[in-house]
Amino acid sequence: MLSLLAASGAADPIYWENLGLRPGIDLGFFTLRYYSLAYLLGVIFAYWHVSKMLKQPGAPMAQRHADDLFFYCTLGVILGGRLGYAAFYQPELFTDFSGEGFVSWKLLRLWDGGMSFHGGLLGVLAAMLWVSWAGKLDFVRVADYVCTTVPMGMFLGRLANFNNGELWGRPTDVAWGMVFPGGGEDVVRHPSQLYQAGLEGLLLLIILLLLFWKTGARYRRGLLSGVFLLGIGSARFINEFFREPDAQLAYRVTETGLSQGQWLTIPIILFGLAVTLYAVMRKPVGTGGSSAASA
């Protein structure tokens, strides 16, 4: 897989530190970090776009449900992302109280980095299940609407990772290889954050928006959710070939040939494929409008 992006005789590498990037916007009394801004803008876009989608025929919920949904989804992304990272990648965070400053428990020190896509996904699923149960909504159709907006957050988040010079890729000799701080002196690496922003974010966002706005996909229960899971899982699996594995889990690649992220992604791909096939084989629903949309 790495050979797909290989190039011989590469030019001088690009040094990340020469790009003039900064971790955030200095407001004087506070630095607004781009990673936090990416989460914020992702949630705002999701809320705006779902609200716009609900005005179309066949919507599975009302605006008041969307209001509740994005409050709980925001909590789900933050709590699920952090707890998932600790559970899947760094369990010692649960018992490490060596942090400096007013917060010593490292599990709570989100500004030190460490968020899991898989944990965030589980957190959002929990939020949607709760709102769907409380509002007596069709969970699958709610998920269809929410998942259409998620890639925007992925796109912005990966750009923020690149801006922070973190989560860089594996060593390479491609012409666009970069040297990242902390990635080894003069070790040229894939800018894998940009690959992820493109595949997991921008490309998948365009596909889902086109399916919703230009086809009748929203009337096929589970189709948008299935495409999202299949797309995000496949993109993540591919990108993991170029992303540097977490140091504490590098042995997994040596032993199995796949990273921890890839093993966690395989069930997502299989489930997404199953949901997509299920959706296309069933008759469309909701074409006559929805009582929930006017509730």
Side-chain angles (χ1 to χ4, degrees):
M1 179 63 72
L2 291 177
S3 61
L4 294 177
L5 293 183
S8 60
D12 292 338
I14 303 169
Y15 285 81
W16 179 91
E17 59 187 14
N18 293 336
L19 298 179
L21 301 175
R22 298 292 181 268
I25 303 173
D26 187 0
L27 302 177
F29 62 95
F30 174 73
T31 298
L32 179 59
R33 295 189 173 274
Y34 289 118
Y35 199 65
S36 300
L37 190 59
Y39 271 92
L40 178 61
L41 292 178
V43 170
I44 292 174
F45 171 81
Y47 180 79
W48 168 79
H49 192 259
V50 168
S51 297
K52 184 177 180 179
M53 295 162 74
L54 293 183
K55 296 177 182 178
Q56 303 303 308
M61 57 183 167
Q63 183 61 48
R64 61 185 177 86
H65 298 125
D67 296 343
D68 292 340
L69 188 64
F70 283 97
F71 170 75
Y72 289 110
C73 280
T74 301
L75 291 180
V77 168
I78 297 173
L79 296 179
R82 186 59 171 174
L83 292 174
Y85 179 80
F88 299 143
Y89 297 96
Q90 202 168 342
E92 59 269 23
L93 288 175
F94 288 113
T95 56
D96 191 339
F97 292 86
S98 63
E100 299 180 356
F102 65 96
V103 178
S104 61
W105 192 14
K106 286 200 170 182
L107 182 66
L108 301 181
R109 297 175 64 88
L110 275 68
W111 53 90
D112 287 342
M115 297 288 282
S116 164
F117 157 73
H118 303 88
L121 179 61
L122 291 175
V124 170
L125 285 175
M128 289 191 297
L129 282 169
W130 167 253
V131 173
S132 298
W133 176 81
K136 296 181 174 59
L137 306 174
D138 184 333
F139 166 75
V140 175
R141 298 208 66 225
V142 169
D144 285 339
Y145 277 59
V146 174
C147 73
T148 305
T149 68
V150 172
M152 174 60 82
M154 302 294 297
F155 173 67
L156 295 172
R158 295 312 179 190
L159 290 181
N161 290 146
F162 178 77
N163 185 84
N164 293 341
E166 61 191 9
L167 302 183
W168 15 258
R170 303 185 190 191
T172 183
D173 61 354
V174 297
W176 55 89
M178 301 186 68
V179 177
F180 292 93
E185 184 177 356
D186 294 329
V187 177
V188 183
R189 297 180 177 275
H190 283 288
S192 58
Q193 314 97 319
L194 299 182
Y195 305 167
Q196 291 184 278
L199 283 180
E200 299 173 19
L202 188 59
L203 178 60
L204 187 55
L205 178 67
I206 291 172
I207 291 173
L208 290 172
L209 292 182
L210 288 176
L211 283 175
F212 183 89
W213 291 105
K214 299 299 183 180
T215 75
R218 67 178 179 271
Y219 297 122
R220 290 195 174 275
R221 184 173 181 267
L223 179 57
L224 291 168
S225 296
V227 172
F228 167 76
L229 292 172
L230 183 58
I232 198 74
S234 299
R236 181 62 184 267
F237 188 89
I238 293 171
N239 281 322
E240 283 287 324
F241 282 111
F242 306 105
R243 177 178 171 178
E244 181 74 11
D246 292 78
Q248 70 274 18
L249 294 172
Y251 71 91
R252 189 64 57 86
V253 177
T254 302
E255 293 179 352
T256 68
L258 298 178
S259 69
Q260 175 80 338
Q262 287 173 312
W263 284 113
L264 293 172
T265 299
I266 289 174
I268 296 177
I269 296 173
L270 296 176
F271 186 62
L273 179 60
V275 172
T276 301
L277 293 175
Y278 168 84
V280 297
M281 291 189 296
R282 292 177 60 86
K283 293 182 179 180
V285 298
T287 53
S290 171
S291 59
S294 58

